[in-house]
Amino acid sequence: MILVLGGTGEARRLASELPDVISSLAGRVRTPRLPPGQVRVGGFGGPEGLRQWLLSNKIDAVVDATHPFAARMTATAAKVTAEESIPFVVLRRPGWAPGPGDDWHWVDSVAEAARNLPAERVFLTTGREELAEFADLGNWFLARSVEPPEPPMPRRLQVVLDRGPFTVEDELALMHEYGIQALVTKDSGGDMTAAKLTAARALKIPVVIVRRPPLPDGVSTVSSVEEAVSWVRGIAEA
Protein backbone atom coordinates (compact mmCIF):
# COMPACT_ATOMS: atom_id res chain seq x y z
CA MET A 1 0.00 0.00 0.00
CA ILE A 2 1.28 3.46 -0.95
CA LEU A 3 0.53 6.58 1.07
CA VAL A 4 0.30 9.79 -0.97
CA LEU A 5 0.49 12.94 1.12
CA GLY A 6 -1.71 15.11 -1.05
CA GLY A 7 -3.64 18.30 -1.54
CA THR A 8 -2.15 19.20 -4.91
CA GLY A 9 -3.08 18.54 -8.51
CA GLU A 10 -0.06 16.25 -8.84
CA ALA A 11 -1.26 14.20 -5.87
CA ARG A 12 -4.70 13.72 -7.45
CA ARG A 13 -3.11 12.62 -10.73
CA LEU A 14 -0.81 10.23 -8.91
CA ALA A 15 -3.72 8.63 -7.07
CA SER A 16 -5.47 8.06 -10.40
CA GLU A 17 -2.44 6.35 -11.96
CA LEU A 18 -1.46 3.96 -9.18
CA PRO A 19 -3.28 1.02 -7.59
CA ASP A 20 -3.32 0.45 -3.85
CA VAL A 21 -3.07 4.11 -2.85
CA ILE A 22 -4.34 5.92 0.23
CA SER A 23 -4.36 9.70 -0.20
CA SER A 24 -4.04 11.89 2.89
CA LEU A 25 -5.38 15.46 2.95
CA ALA A 26 -4.64 17.97 5.68
CA GLY A 27 -8.29 18.99 6.03
CA ARG A 28 -7.79 22.77 5.95
CA VAL A 29 -10.56 23.14 3.34
CA ARG A 30 -14.06 21.93 4.20
CA THR A 31 -14.84 20.87 0.61
CA PRO A 32 -11.56 19.68 -0.90
CA ARG A 33 -11.17 18.21 -4.36
CA LEU A 34 -10.95 14.53 -3.55
CA PRO A 35 -8.64 12.20 -5.44
CA PRO A 36 -9.86 8.80 -6.62
CA GLY A 37 -9.51 5.82 -4.32
CA GLN A 38 -9.13 5.71 -0.56
CA VAL A 39 -8.86 9.07 1.19
CA ARG A 40 -8.15 10.08 4.78
CA VAL A 41 -8.58 13.66 5.97
CA GLY A 42 -6.90 15.37 8.91
CA GLY A 43 -3.60 15.41 10.74
CA PHE A 44 -1.75 12.40 12.09
CA GLY A 45 -1.05 13.83 15.52
CA GLY A 46 2.64 14.54 15.10
CA PRO A 47 5.54 12.16 14.42
CA GLU A 48 4.35 9.39 16.74
CA GLY A 49 0.85 9.52 15.34
CA LEU A 50 2.20 9.24 11.81
CA ARG A 51 4.49 6.37 12.85
CA GLN A 52 1.66 4.34 14.32
CA TRP A 53 -0.58 5.04 11.34
CA LEU A 54 2.08 3.91 8.85
CA LEU A 55 2.79 0.73 10.76
CA SER A 56 -0.83 -0.19 11.48
CA ASN A 57 -1.80 0.34 7.84
CA LYS A 58 1.22 -1.61 6.54
CA ILE A 59 2.40 1.21 4.29
CA ASP A 60 5.11 0.09 1.87
CA ALA A 61 6.19 3.55 0.65
CA VAL A 62 5.29 7.22 1.01
CA VAL A 63 5.10 9.87 -1.71
CA ASP A 64 5.01 13.42 -0.38
CA ALA A 65 3.07 15.39 -3.00
CA THR A 66 2.06 18.19 -0.64
CA HIS A 67 2.34 21.88 -1.43
CA PRO A 68 5.98 23.07 -1.61
CA PHE A 69 5.33 25.18 1.50
CA ALA A 70 4.00 22.31 3.66
CA ALA A 71 7.42 22.17 5.34
CA ARG A 72 6.30 20.73 8.68
CA MET A 73 4.51 17.76 7.12
CA THR A 74 7.45 17.04 4.84
CA ALA A 75 9.95 17.20 7.70
CA THR A 76 7.82 14.91 9.85
CA ALA A 77 7.31 12.38 7.07
CA ALA A 78 11.02 12.38 6.17
CA LYS A 79 12.02 11.76 9.79
CA VAL A 80 9.53 8.99 10.53
CA THR A 81 10.02 7.09 7.27
CA ALA A 82 13.81 7.19 7.71
CA GLU A 83 13.52 5.82 11.23
CA GLU A 84 11.19 3.03 10.10
CA SER A 85 13.10 2.29 6.85
CA ILE A 86 10.03 3.04 4.73
CA PRO A 87 10.89 4.29 1.21
CA PHE A 88 10.09 8.00 0.89
CA VAL A 89 10.19 10.45 -2.00
CA VAL A 90 9.15 14.08 -2.37
CA LEU A 91 7.32 15.11 -5.54
CA ARG A 92 8.03 18.80 -6.16
CA ARG A 93 7.12 20.59 -9.35
CA PRO A 94 9.85 22.94 -10.59
CA GLY A 95 9.78 26.44 -9.15
CA TRP A 96 9.13 29.57 -11.14
CA ALA A 97 11.81 31.63 -12.87
CA PRO A 98 11.40 35.22 -14.09
CA GLY A 99 11.30 35.98 -17.78
CA PRO A 100 11.67 39.09 -19.91
CA GLY A 101 9.50 41.90 -18.59
CA ASP A 102 9.09 40.46 -15.10
CA ASP A 103 9.71 42.69 -12.07
CA TRP A 104 10.19 40.11 -9.33
CA HIS A 105 11.42 40.68 -5.77
CA TRP A 106 12.41 37.54 -3.86
CA VAL A 107 11.97 37.24 -0.07
CA ASP A 108 12.46 34.41 2.41
CA SER A 109 9.13 34.56 4.24
CA VAL A 110 5.64 36.05 4.13
CA ALA A 111 6.65 38.27 7.06
CA GLU A 112 9.51 39.66 4.96
CA ALA A 113 7.10 40.20 2.07
CA ALA A 114 4.89 42.26 4.39
CA ARG A 115 7.88 44.48 5.20
CA ASN A 116 8.71 45.04 1.54
CA LEU A 117 5.46 45.90 -0.23
CA PRO A 118 6.21 48.01 -3.31
CA ALA A 119 2.76 49.60 -3.76
CA GLU A 120 -0.46 50.66 -2.05
CA ARG A 121 -3.01 48.29 -3.61
CA VAL A 122 -1.80 44.71 -3.22
CA PHE A 123 -3.15 41.36 -4.41
CA LEU A 124 -2.28 38.72 -1.80
CA THR A 125 -2.17 35.10 -3.01
CA THR A 126 -0.18 33.62 -0.13
CA GLY A 127 -3.16 31.83 1.46
CA ARG A 128 -5.81 32.87 3.94
CA GLU A 129 -3.78 31.61 6.91
CA GLU A 130 -1.02 34.12 6.11
CA LEU A 131 -3.21 37.24 6.23
CA ALA A 132 -2.22 37.89 9.85
CA GLU A 133 1.24 38.98 8.65
CA PHE A 134 -0.39 41.97 6.94
CA ALA A 135 -2.93 42.80 9.66
CA ASP A 136 -1.14 45.86 11.02
CA LEU A 137 -0.47 47.50 7.65
CA GLY A 138 -2.40 50.38 6.15
CA ASN A 139 -2.25 49.16 2.54
CA TRP A 140 -5.37 48.14 0.65
CA PHE A 141 -5.42 44.39 0.05
CA LEU A 142 -7.26 41.96 -2.19
CA ALA A 143 -7.25 38.32 -1.08
CA ARG A 144 -8.74 35.36 -2.91
CA SER A 145 -9.72 32.27 -0.95
CA VAL A 146 -11.80 29.13 -1.29
CA GLU A 147 -13.25 29.76 2.19
CA PRO A 148 -13.64 32.96 4.23
CA PRO A 149 -10.49 33.87 6.19
CA GLU A 150 -10.50 34.38 9.94
CA PRO A 151 -8.98 37.22 12.00
CA PRO A 152 -6.51 38.72 12.38
CA MET A 153 -6.77 40.31 8.95
CA PRO A 154 -5.86 43.66 7.38
CA ARG A 155 -8.46 46.31 8.12
CA ARG A 156 -8.57 47.36 4.45
CA LEU A 157 -9.25 43.99 2.90
CA GLN A 158 -11.47 42.83 0.04
CA VAL A 159 -12.00 39.05 -0.05
CA VAL A 160 -13.01 37.23 -3.23
CA LEU A 161 -14.25 33.68 -2.65
CA ASP A 162 -13.30 31.56 -5.64
CA ARG A 163 -11.49 28.36 -6.57
CA GLY A 164 -9.02 28.00 -9.43
CA PRO A 165 -7.49 27.22 -11.75
CA PHE A 166 -7.71 30.71 -13.26
CA THR A 167 -6.88 31.84 -16.78
CA VAL A 168 -4.71 34.80 -17.68
CA GLU A 169 -7.89 36.58 -18.80
CA ASP A 170 -9.45 35.91 -15.37
CA GLU A 171 -6.44 37.39 -13.60
CA LEU A 172 -6.21 40.41 -15.87
CA ALA A 173 -9.88 41.19 -15.34
CA LEU A 174 -9.56 40.84 -11.55
CA MET A 175 -6.46 43.03 -11.34
CA HIS A 176 -8.06 45.67 -13.57
CA GLU A 177 -11.29 45.66 -11.56
CA TYR A 178 -9.52 46.31 -8.26
CA GLY A 179 -6.71 48.54 -9.51
CA ILE A 180 -3.98 46.18 -8.34
CA GLN A 181 -0.51 47.72 -8.19
CA ALA A 182 1.51 44.79 -6.80
CA LEU A 183 1.21 41.02 -6.37
CA VAL A 184 2.45 38.94 -3.43
CA THR A 185 2.71 35.18 -3.91
CA LYS A 186 4.65 32.07 -2.99
CA ASP A 187 6.88 30.12 -5.36
CA SER A 188 4.36 27.32 -5.80
CA GLY A 189 5.70 26.50 -9.24
CA GLY A 190 3.96 24.72 -12.09
CA ASP A 191 1.42 25.96 -14.59
CA MET A 192 -1.83 25.67 -12.62
CA THR A 193 -1.33 28.90 -10.65
CA ALA A 194 1.04 30.77 -12.95
CA ALA A 195 -1.62 32.84 -14.77
CA LYS A 196 -1.36 35.62 -12.19
CA LEU A 197 2.35 36.01 -13.00
CA THR A 198 1.60 36.36 -16.70
CA ALA A 199 -1.06 38.95 -15.88
CA ALA A 200 1.35 40.88 -13.66
CA ARG A 201 3.91 40.92 -16.46
CA ALA A 202 1.33 42.22 -18.93
CA LEU A 203 0.29 44.96 -16.51
CA LYS A 204 3.91 45.79 -15.61
CA ILE A 205 3.30 45.47 -11.89
CA PRO A 206 5.93 44.23 -9.40
CA VAL A 207 5.69 40.76 -7.85
CA VAL A 208 6.99 39.87 -4.39
CA ILE A 209 7.72 36.13 -4.33
CA VAL A 210 8.40 34.05 -1.23
CA ARG A 211 11.12 31.46 -1.73
CA ARG A 212 10.37 27.83 -0.95
CA PRO A 213 11.54 26.39 2.35
CA PRO A 214 14.45 23.96 1.97
CA LEU A 215 13.77 20.25 1.89
CA PRO A 216 15.12 18.03 4.68
CA ASP A 217 18.65 16.79 4.10
CA GLY A 218 19.03 13.57 2.20
CA VAL A 219 15.50 13.11 0.88
CA SER A 220 14.95 11.75 -2.60
CA THR A 221 13.00 13.98 -4.99
CA VAL A 222 11.18 13.73 -8.30
CA SER A 223 9.76 16.61 -10.30
CA SER A 224 6.79 15.07 -12.12
CA VAL A 225 3.95 12.61 -11.68
CA GLU A 226 5.55 10.37 -14.29
CA GLU A 227 8.77 10.21 -12.29
CA ALA A 228 6.83 9.47 -9.11
CA VAL A 229 4.97 6.61 -10.82
CA SER A 230 8.29 5.16 -11.99
CA TRP A 231 9.71 5.47 -8.47
CA VAL A 232 6.72 3.63 -6.97
CA ARG A 233 6.95 0.88 -9.59
CA GLY A 234 10.64 0.50 -8.84
CA ILE A 235 9.86 0.04 -5.15
CA ALA A 236 7.23 -2.58 -6.03
CA GLU A 237 9.67 -4.48 -8.24
CA ALA A 238 12.33 -4.40 -5.55
Side-chain angles (χ1 to χ4, degrees):
M1 182 67 70
I2 307 299
L3 172 65
V4 174
L5 301 174
T8 61
E10 289 90 348
R12 289 189 292 274
R13 283 183 54 204
L14 188 59
S16 70
E17 295 189 23
L18 290 173
D20 300 324
V21 168
I22 299 177
S23 297
S24 177
L25 306 181
R28 293 190 178 93
V29 177
R30 286 190 290 269
T31 56
R33 288 176 172 162
L34 296 178
Q38 297 185 59
V39 180
R40 68 169 303 280
V41 178
F44 290 95
E48 291 310 310
L50 176 59
R51 188 191 316 278
Q52 293 305 316
W53 192 92
L54 293 174
L55 297 177
S56 64
N57 286 274
K58 297 181 172 56
I59 297 300
D60 299 301
V62 178
V63 181
D64 180 344
T66 56
H67 192 277
F69 285 80
R72 181 179 299 178
M73 184 71 252
T74 297
T76 298
K79 178 179 183 295
V80 172
T81 54
E83 291 171 349
E84 298 298 332
S85 299
I86 298 172
F88 175 72
V89 71
V90 176
L91 168 57
R92 284 290 181 271
R93 66 185 82 118
W96 289 320
D102 284 324
D103 180 13
W104 288 11
H105 306 265
W106 291 91
V107 295
D108 290 323
S109 66
V110 175
E112 185 179 349
R115 296 193 297 269
N116 291 275
L117 297 178
E120 168 68 15
R121 298 180 66 84
V122 182
F123 184 15
L124 296 176
T125 63
T126 52
R128 73 182 193 275
E129 295 178 355
E130 307 280 9
L131 291 178
E133 298 289 355
F134 305 88
D136 295 331
L137 302 180
N139 303 64
W140 184 93
F141 294 101
L142 172 68
R144 183 171 56 204
S145 178
V146 176
E147 296 178 356
E150 297 180 356
M153 297 181 290
R155 58 184 179 274
R156 301 174 65 201
L157 174 68
Q158 174 70 45
V159 177
V160 174
L161 298 180
D162 205 352
R163 189 197 294 267
F166 304 100
T167 66
V168 175
E169 290 72 22
D170 293 333
E171 303 292 46
L172 284 169
L174 187 69
M175 293 183 193
H176 272 302
E177 179 180 356
Y178 290 101
I180 297 302
Q181 299 167 328
L183 170 68
V184 179
T185 193
K186 295 176 176 177
D187 181 17
S188 301
D191 297 329
M192 289 185 64
T193 58
K196 57 181 175 282
L197 300 174
T198 304
R201 181 187 310 127
L203 296 173
K204 296 181 171 56
I205 65 174
V207 181
V208 180
I209 301 188
V210 182
R211 293 184 181 91
R212 296 177 175 186
L215 289 170
D217 292 339
V219 300
S220 299
T221 62
V222 293
S223 60
S224 68
V225 172
E226 291 74 20
E227 290 178 12
V229 170
S230 295
W231 181 87
V232 170
R233 289 173 176 166
I235 295 298
E237 292 172 359

